[in-house]
Amino acid sequence: MSAVEVVTEQADVVVVGGGPGGSTVATLIARRGHRVVLLERETFPRYQIGESLLPATVHGICRLLGVTEEMEQAKFTVKRGGSFRWGTNPQPWNFLFAFAPELSGPTSYAYQVERMKFDDILLRNAAKHGVDVRENSAVNEILGDDERVRGVRYTDPGGVVREIHARFVVDASGNRSRIHQNVRGERLYSDFFRNIALFGYFEGGKRLPAPDSGNILCAAFDEGWIWYIPLSDTLTSVGAVISREHAAKLQGDQEEALRGFIDRCEIVKGFLSDATRVTEGTYGEIRTRKDYSYTNSTFWRPGMLLVGDAACFIDPVFSTGVHLATYSGLLAARSINTVLAGGSSEERVFTEFEGRYRREYRVFYEFLSAFYDMQSTEESYFWKARKVTNFNASDIEAFATLVGGVHSGETALVDGFRASSEKLADAIEKTGTMQTPSGERMHHLFGTPVVREVMTEMNAIQVRGVQGEAARELPLLEDGLVPSADGLGWAEPANVA
């Protein structure tokens, strides 16, 4: 074989990147019987930031992927909501996912996950479903012409340059890759969320009182806020998010800088009073990430789509990264499956893909913009959630619906939830009651026992999911499409039985 010879092959779809977005789209396309090759430049398991999941991911997407049992066996830390020291209230307060009608019941929880383990579960699951997973395979070039993208050129683990010609290429390669430029759009950075994150890992940090011990804690201080994520009984991810105007404080010793931010945040300082920072192994490095809030001007061109961080990212405060990645993977799979089956044009289905994806991004962006007003009271946050989701529901329900990742009403995101008064006992056993110090403060804020009221409601979305009527969903967008009967494609509303 000469040095210039390139090995070529054919596939229906090439997915670049093996993270949650890439694994999701690859699996759901392969389930329709198509040939999918997934190229991942690293070897899993590998480190990745982003450890706090939403219920929509755990009980919606993961159920659709068929990894529910593996997730349970992994013994990830259970979180039933979030805890905040934010706004004008000096004391931490809670929200529970159980406040949302779509999330009430025994599945009103999510997980804190080590991404090394979580991502590996999803990637191995893709291979089980027939995806040709190739690790240590770096994509060098996207192949195409003025009309469309037609494949990729990559280097395999043995150093051999190969080409895969395919109907579609999905870029799920994350925020640092430049492959996204091949959709011929522009990456637009947020003027509002021009932030920098500095983070590390600690052993021996304290926990909130049970049953809130698995909650993510977000605590504001003068220059920004700190996340505190309990990954296990002893391991905690701690990160400071500050605006760019304070970037000079990160110069020099980063450990000293992180400690300085922690010292100015009393609740986190107290939680870490007996803890030690991990200094060896995978979690031994202090890391930074900056200018991470952005969106691309377009998410697709003929033959190519962007999913996950390749397309957009907002902010870590409500753990939306993996949610947007897996949700966009589902939308992309539906679109590609529909075209490969001859069911519709690329223009029609990719417009649906981008419309739903941008809608999800925009709602979180609007709400987070309001949430960052640290002088606001908690009530105003919930009011904002109600406004942007356009729900006829109590403020706290709207808040929980939004941050649980199910405000879109997509059956695929809530099909795994069960909501009825009969499930209240199961829910309490799994997620605990509101009779905790932070829970009592939430009662004080809203004056009524919201959780019990929510548990008795039969939300229409859940009814469709429980009764197997997902195909009867209404279009989410004006003149839009609806999911096919199996949830893996799109259909015109009039064509769904």
Side-chain angles (χ1 to χ4, degrees), residues 152-280:
V152 303
R153 181 177 291 121
Y154 78 101
T155 303
D156 72 12
V160 178
V161 176
R162 299 177 178 270
E163 286 185 1
I164 306 177
H165 300 164
R167 288 281 302 277
F168 297 103
V169 173
V170 178
D171 179 13
S173 58
N175 69 304
R176 295 182 179 179
S177 170
R178 293 293 175 262
I179 295 174
H180 68 88
Q181 296 173 349
N182 288 274
V183 299
R184 298 176 177 174
E186 181 183 1
R187 180 162 288 185
L188 306 173
Y189 288 89
S190 167
D191 289 331
F192 186 85
F193 293 105
R194 295 178 67 83
N195 298 330
I196 302 173
L198 178 70
F199 55 98
Y201 297 82
F202 292 78
E203 279 284 345
K206 295 182 176 65
R207 297 289 180 257
L208 290 163
D212 300 330
S213 55
N215 283 11
I216 181 174
L217 170 66
C218 297
F221 63 103
D222 289 343
E223 293 94 338
W225 63 276
I226 291 181
W227 75 66
Y228 189 93
I229 304 175
L231 296 178
S232 71
D233 290 342
T234 61
L235 181 64
T236 307
S237 169
V238 181
V241 178
I242 62 173
S243 62
R244 283 179 53 138
E245 64 191 68
H246 299 292
K249 297 180 180 179
L250 301 184
Q251 301 300 319
D253 190 325
Q254 291 192 330
E255 170 136 22
E256 182 178 346
L258 180 58
R259 289 285 186 181
F261 294 134
I262 290 170
D263 285 345
R264 290 195 289 282
C265 185
E266 288 299 322
I267 187 170
V268 174
K269 179 181 179 181
F271 273 34
L272 293 176
S273 59
D274 298 323
T276 57
R277 189 178 73 80
V278 178
T279 57
E280 297 180 352

Side-chain angles (χ1 to χ4, degrees), residues 237-482:
S237 169
V238 181
V241 178
I242 62 173
S243 62
R244 283 179 53 138
E245 64 191 68
H246 299 292
K249 297 180 180 179
L250 301 184
Q251 301 300 319
D253 190 325
Q254 291 192 330
E255 170 136 22
E256 182 178 346
L258 180 58
R259 289 285 186 181
F261 294 134
I262 290 170
D263 285 345
R264 290 195 289 282
C265 185
E266 288 299 322
I267 187 170
V268 174
K269 179 181 179 181
F271 273 34
L272 293 176
S273 59
D274 298 323
T276 57
R277 189 178 73 80
V278 178
T279 57
E280 297 180 352
T282 301
Y283 298 121
E285 181 182 346
I286 291 182
R287 295 174 166 92
T288 60
R289 187 172 174 184
K290 60 182 179 179
D291 285 339
Y292 53 69
S293 298
Y294 57 86
T295 183
N296 283 282
S297 58
T298 182
F299 290 168
W300 69 278
R301 64 169 289 210
M304 184 173 180
L305 298 89
L306 309 179
V307 304
D309 287 3
C312 58
F313 186 81
I314 310 174
D315 188 82
V317 68
F318 281 123
S319 312
T320 57
V322 173
H323 167 65
L324 288 172
T326 55
Y327 179 56
S328 63
L330 168 63
L331 299 178
R334 286 175 175 171
S335 302
I336 291 173
N337 283 337
T338 301
V339 175
L340 291 177
S344 191
S345 68
E346 285 186 44
E347 179 77 25
R348 179 76 166 125
V349 298
F350 288 177
T351 297
E352 184 75 21
F353 157 78
E354 180 157 345
R356 290 194 181 222
Y357 194 3
R358 286 197 183 279
R359 180 181 184 274
E360 195 81 354
Y361 177 89
R362 175 182 53 78
V363 170
F364 276 108
Y365 187 96
E366 288 182 18
F367 179 68
L368 288 170
S369 298
F371 196 84
Y372 259 82
D373 180 1
M374 296 181 187
Q375 301 307 311
S376 298
T377 63
E378 289 89 350
E379 289 89 337
S380 68
Y381 308 147
F382 303 134
W383 177 86
K384 182 66 174 179
R386 181 181 181 182
K387 177 181 177 182
V388 299
T389 58
N390 196 30
F391 263 126
N392 181 22
S394 77
D395 296 335
I396 182 60
E397 290 174 13
F399 179 85
T401 297
L402 175 63
V403 301
V406 295
H407 79 277
S408 66
E410 289 259 7
T411 297
L413 300 182
V414 298
D415 194 33
F417 302 114
R418 293 172 287 168
S420 73
S421 57
E422 296 176 0
K423 303 301 181 182
L424 179 58
D426 290 340
I428 291 175
E429 180 180 352
K430 185 72 177 181
T431 66
T433 71
M434 285 291 289
Q435 304 309 312
T436 66
S438 51
E440 288 295 338
R441 278 192 290 276
M442 187 62 89
H443 273 304
H444 175 71
L445 284 171
F446 296 95
T448 58
V450 182
V451 172
R452 190 169 296 275
E453 294 176 8
V454 170
M455 294 291 186
T456 63
E457 297 183 6
M458 292 297 290
N459 181 273
I461 297 172
Q462 292 165 288
V463 172
R464 287 198 299 273
V466 172
Q467 295 180 354
E469 299 177 14
R472 298 186 184 181
E473 286 185 63
L474 297 175
L476 188 62
L477 308 175
E478 184 177 359
D479 299 322
L481 301 168
V482 296

